[in-house]
Amino acid sequence: SKIGLGCGVFSGAYGPISHKDIVGVIRTAFSNGVNMVDTSPYYNDSEIKLGKALLELKAEFPRSSYCISTKLGRYGYHKSDFDYSAERVVSSVKESMRRLHTEYLDSVLCHDVEFVDMAQIIDVTLPKLFELKQNGIVRQVGISGYPLDVLLRIAQMQYERGYPIDICLSYCNFNLHCQRLPEYVPLLRAAGVKTIIAASPLSMGLLQQDTPPDWHPANSELKKAVLKCKALIRLFISSSNSTHDISLEKIAESFAFSLNSVDLHLVGAKSSAEMTCALEVYKQAQQLQLASGGTYPDNDTQKIYEQIRQILQPFKDYTWPSP
């Protein structure tokens, strides 16, 4: 599917979520054509919660009807919590399969590759993952991270070695405040990457009407600019008789989802209502095509959208340091 369910929200990092809500989110997603879920052992107990829900939904949605993508290498917040050794690759895959109640994993990505020595990824981790792929335990091998130059370099090195990576996941690199991903898409394709995933259309909760997580790494200037966007929308809603359902989330998702050069967009949801809303916005985004110059049909929303783009324009090439 063109939309995948990002299960980082199941970790509780974006607020509490119950087992009932998780089951509801997955049921809504799968019932509407979403057939890919993405998780990681780094996301607290996301794998466990996802696995429990998938087990409960087994009669409705058999394992063959969806793809599971998970990650390895990063297991916590500190340098000591990274382990990309060959032994840990094997044990991590086995542990993920146990948590997710599956005998194979559709995709396994090296998580946040910029935090470790590139030689470790190239010479140790990826060879072991490709070995598991040959054995049928893992169907596709990939990498994920934030700095696009690091992702591209690893992809290019793998291509030169004759083992191109299957998947590259980039997060927070295409949204209202950052549009760096499109220039890297053809370069990643040239390096043999089959599937490019764009994650975090809301920039890890920054582009939402509610207060973003206090751990968000954006600098104070960008956060202040986003506050201006929120104030703009609140002012419009309070001073207008418009019936348009305008929110920063919907504008942000409409923009991000209209990037058609990638293969899949990951979006998280804490409730069935949020999942339904994201799916509706995705359909709208395909009609609006904001990323390629499209416009809203009504003047009110278009005016708000243009003002938001103007406020965030200075940050279109900004990235925060990682690691």
Side-chain angles (χ1 to χ4, degrees), residues 169-187:
L169 188 158
S170 164
Y171 70 93
C172 295
N173 279 305
F174 190 79
N175 52 52
L176 284 175
H177 70 71
C178 178
Q179 295 95 52
R180 299 189 70 236
L181 181 57
E183 66 182 279
Y184 281 83
V185 169
L187 302 176

mmCIF file of all heavy atoms in Angstrom, residues 169-187:
data_model
loop_
_atom_site.group_PDB
_atom_site.id
_atom_site.type_symbol
_atom_site.label_atom_id
_atom_site.label_comp_id
_atom_site.label_asym_id
_atom_site.label_seq_id
_atom_site.Cartn_x
_atom_site.Cartn_y
_atom_site.Cartn_z
ATOM 1 N N LEU A 169 14.446 4.025 4.585
ATOM 2 C CA LEU A 169 13.429 4.800 5.299
ATOM 3 C C LEU A 169 14.044 6.108 5.783
ATOM 4 O O LEU A 169 15.023 6.118 6.520
ATOM 5 C CB LEU A 169 12.888 3.998 6.482
ATOM 6 C CG LEU A 169 11.685 4.570 7.239
ATOM 7 C CD1 LEU A 169 10.951 3.441 7.985
ATOM 8 C CD2 LEU A 169 12.083 5.648 8.248
ATOM 9 N N SER A 170 13.456 7.202 5.347
ATOM 10 C CA SER A 170 13.872 8.539 5.761
ATOM 11 C C SER A 170 12.734 9.182 6.536
ATOM 12 O O SER A 170 11.575 9.101 6.134
ATOM 13 C CB SER A 170 14.199 9.386 4.525
ATOM 14 O OG SER A 170 14.257 10.764 4.847
ATOM 15 N N TYR A 171 13.046 9.818 7.659
ATOM 16 C CA TYR A 171 11.991 10.468 8.435
ATOM 17 C C TYR A 171 12.272 11.963 8.597
ATOM 18 O O TYR A 171 13.422 12.396 8.646
ATOM 19 C CB TYR A 171 11.803 9.794 9.800
ATOM 20 C CG TYR A 171 12.939 9.997 10.775
ATOM 21 C CD1 TYR A 171 12.906 11.040 11.697
ATOM 22 C CD2 TYR A 171 14.048 9.152 10.798
ATOM 23 C CE1 TYR A 171 13.934 11.232 12.612
ATOM 24 C CE2 TYR A 171 15.078 9.323 11.700
ATOM 25 C CZ TYR A 171 15.020 10.367 12.603
ATOM 26 O OH TYR A 171 16.047 10.558 13.498
ATOM 27 N N CYS A 172 11.191 12.729 8.645
ATOM 28 C CA CYS A 172 11.253 14.180 8.866
ATOM 29 C C CYS A 172 12.006 14.948 7.776
ATOM 30 O O CYS A 172 12.425 16.083 7.997
ATOM 31 C CB CYS A 172 11.871 14.510 10.234
ATOM 32 S SG CYS A 172 10.896 13.965 11.637
ATOM 33 N N ASN A 173 12.184 14.338 6.610
ATOM 34 C CA ASN A 173 12.893 15.019 5.530
ATOM 35 C C ASN A 173 11.990 15.470 4.389
ATOM 36 O O ASN A 173 12.465 15.997 3.389
ATOM 37 C CB ASN A 173 14.006 14.123 4.983
ATOM 38 C CG ASN A 173 15.247 14.169 5.851
ATOM 39 O OD1 ASN A 173 15.784 15.232 6.117
ATOM 40 N ND2 ASN A 173 15.699 13.010 6.319
ATOM 41 N N PHE A 174 10.673 15.254 4.560
ATOM 42 C CA PHE A 174 9.731 15.896 3.639
ATOM 43 C C PHE A 174 8.462 16.226 4.399
ATOM 44 O O PHE A 174 7.654 15.344 4.717
ATOM 45 C CB PHE A 174 9.407 15.045 2.421
ATOM 46 C CG PHE A 174 8.638 15.845 1.401
ATOM 47 C CD1 PHE A 174 9.307 16.722 0.564
ATOM 48 C CD2 PHE A 174 7.257 15.796 1.333
ATOM 49 C CE1 PHE A 174 8.616 17.516 -0.340
ATOM 50 C CE2 PHE A 174 6.549 16.586 0.438
ATOM 51 C CZ PHE A 174 7.236 17.449 -0.413
ATOM 52 N N ASN A 175 8.308 17.497 4.679
ATOM 53 C CA ASN A 175 7.135 18.003 5.383
ATOM 54 C C ASN A 175 7.059 19.510 5.159
ATOM 55 O O ASN A 175 7.805 20.045 4.327
ATOM 56 C CB ASN A 175 7.202 17.646 6.878
ATOM 57 C CG ASN A 175 8.528 18.064 7.501
ATOM 58 O OD1 ASN A 175 8.945 19.216 7.363
ATOM 59 N ND2 ASN A 175 9.200 17.144 8.172
ATOM 60 N N LEU A 176 6.200 20.183 5.862
ATOM 61 C CA LEU A 176 6.022 21.622 5.649
ATOM 62 C C LEU A 176 7.283 22.437 5.929
ATOM 63 O O LEU A 176 7.474 23.506 5.355
ATOM 64 C CB LEU A 176 4.874 22.142 6.521
ATOM 65 C CG LEU A 176 3.454 21.813 6.065
ATOM 66 C CD1 LEU A 176 2.447 22.280 7.102
ATOM 67 C CD2 LEU A 176 3.150 22.451 4.709
ATOM 68 N N HIS A 177 8.146 21.947 6.832
ATOM 69 C CA HIS A 177 9.331 22.738 7.171
ATOM 70 C C HIS A 177 10.627 22.186 6.575
ATOM 71 O O HIS A 177 11.685 22.794 6.764
ATOM 72 C CB HIS A 177 9.478 22.885 8.692
ATOM 73 C CG HIS A 177 9.859 21.624 9.414
ATOM 74 N ND1 HIS A 177 11.105 21.060 9.316
ATOM 75 C CD2 HIS A 177 9.156 20.836 10.251
ATOM 76 C CE1 HIS A 177 11.160 19.974 10.066
ATOM 77 N NE2 HIS A 177 9.985 19.811 10.643
ATOM 78 N N CYS A 178 10.560 21.090 5.865
ATOM 79 C CA CYS A 178 11.788 20.522 5.273
ATOM 80 C C CYS A 178 11.431 19.791 3.986
ATOM 81 O O CYS A 178 10.577 18.913 3.988
ATOM 82 C CB CYS A 178 12.461 19.566 6.251
ATOM 83 S SG CYS A 178 13.952 18.780 5.569
ATOM 84 N N GLN A 179 12.111 20.147 2.911
ATOM 85 C CA GLN A 179 11.852 19.499 1.621
ATOM 86 C C GLN A 179 13.146 19.014 0.969
ATOM 87 O O GLN A 179 13.414 19.266 -0.202
ATOM 88 C CB GLN A 179 11.108 20.450 0.681
ATOM 89 C CG GLN A 179 9.717 20.827 1.152
ATOM 90 C CD GLN A 179 9.661 22.116 1.921
ATOM 91 O OE1 GLN A 179 10.157 23.139 1.449
ATOM 92 N NE2 GLN A 179 9.066 22.111 3.101
ATOM 93 N N ARG A 180 13.951 18.287 1.729
ATOM 94 C CA ARG A 180 15.242 17.829 1.231
ATOM 95 C C ARG A 180 15.172 16.465 0.541
ATOM 96 O O ARG A 180 16.018 16.134 -0.283
ATOM 97 C CB ARG A 180 16.269 17.777 2.366
ATOM 98 C CG ARG A 180 16.525 19.123 3.029
ATOM 99 C CD ARG A 180 17.705 19.056 3.979
ATOM 100 N NE ARG A 180 18.960 18.892 3.250
ATOM 101 C CZ ARG A 180 19.825 17.898 3.456
ATOM 102 N NH1 ARG A 180 19.548 16.956 4.337
ATOM 103 N NH2 ARG A 180 20.939 17.838 2.773
ATOM 104 N N LEU A 181 14.184 15.656 0.876
ATOM 105 C CA LEU A 181 14.138 14.285 0.366
ATOM 106 C C LEU A 181 14.052 14.187 -1.157
ATOM 107 O O LEU A 181 14.742 13.336 -1.741
ATOM 108 C CB LEU A 181 12.973 13.526 1.019
ATOM 109 C CG LEU A 181 12.791 12.065 0.604
ATOM 110 C CD1 LEU A 181 14.043 11.245 0.853
ATOM 111 C CD2 LEU A 181 11.599 11.449 1.341
ATOM 112 N N PRO A 182 13.249 14.988 -1.858
ATOM 113 C CA PRO A 182 13.102 14.792 -3.303
ATOM 114 C C PRO A 182 14.406 14.793 -4.091
ATOM 115 O O PRO A 182 14.545 14.046 -5.065
ATOM 116 C CB PRO A 182 12.198 15.967 -3.723
ATOM 117 C CG PRO A 182 11.379 16.240 -2.509
ATOM 118 C CD PRO A 182 12.307 16.019 -1.354
ATOM 119 N N GLU A 183 15.383 15.609 -3.680
ATOM 120 C CA GLU A 183 16.637 15.639 -4.424
ATOM 121 C C GLU A 183 17.441 14.348 -4.241
ATOM 122 O O GLU A 183 18.286 14.014 -5.082
ATOM 123 C CB GLU A 183 17.486 16.840 -3.995
ATOM 124 C CG GLU A 183 17.984 16.772 -2.554
ATOM 125 C CD GLU A 183 18.786 18.004 -2.147
ATOM 126 O OE1 GLU A 183 19.990 18.074 -2.475
ATOM 127 O OE2 GLU A 183 18.196 18.895 -1.501
ATOM 128 N N TYR A 184 17.165 13.604 -3.173
ATOM 129 C CA TYR A 184 17.885 12.358 -2.915
ATOM 130 C C TYR A 184 17.205 11.138 -3.531
ATOM 131 O O TYR A 184 17.834 10.097 -3.684
ATOM 132 C CB TYR A 184 18.046 12.138 -1.409
ATOM 133 C CG TYR A 184 19.156 12.944 -0.789
ATOM 134 C CD1 TYR A 184 18.959 14.268 -0.412
ATOM 135 C CD2 TYR A 184 20.424 12.391 -0.592
ATOM 136 C CE1 TYR A 184 19.978 15.020 0.147
ATOM 137 C CE2 TYR A 184 21.453 13.125 -0.026
ATOM 138 C CZ TYR A 184 21.224 14.446 0.336
ATOM 139 O OH TYR A 184 22.246 15.187 0.880
ATOM 140 N N VAL A 185 15.939 11.258 -3.868
ATOM 141 C CA VAL A 185 15.201 10.106 -4.399
ATOM 142 C C VAL A 185 15.861 9.521 -5.645
ATOM 143 O O VAL A 185 16.128 8.310 -5.702
ATOM 144 C CB VAL A 185 13.723 10.463 -4.658
ATOM 145 C CG1 VAL A 185 13.042 9.352 -5.457
ATOM 146 C CG2 VAL A 185 13.000 10.678 -3.333
ATOM 147 N N PRO A 186 16.171 10.318 -6.690
ATOM 148 C CA PRO A 186 16.824 9.723 -7.864
ATOM 149 C C PRO A 186 18.202 9.156 -7.575
ATOM 150 O O PRO A 186 18.629 8.179 -8.218
ATOM 151 C CB PRO A 186 16.881 10.890 -8.867
ATOM 152 C CG PRO A 186 16.735 12.124 -8.047
ATOM 153 C CD PRO A 186 15.883 11.747 -6.890
ATOM 154 N N LEU A 187 18.902 9.731 -6.616
ATOM 155 C CA LEU A 187 20.228 9.225 -6.249
ATOM 156 C C LEU A 187 20.113 7.863 -5.560
ATOM 157 O O LEU A 187 20.921 6.962 -5.808
ATOM 158 C CB LEU A 187 20.939 10.225 -5.336
ATOM 159 C CG LEU A 187 21.140 11.635 -5.910
ATOM 160 C CD1 LEU A 187 21.758 12.551 -4.870
ATOM 161 C CD2 LEU A 187 22.015 11.586 -7.159
#
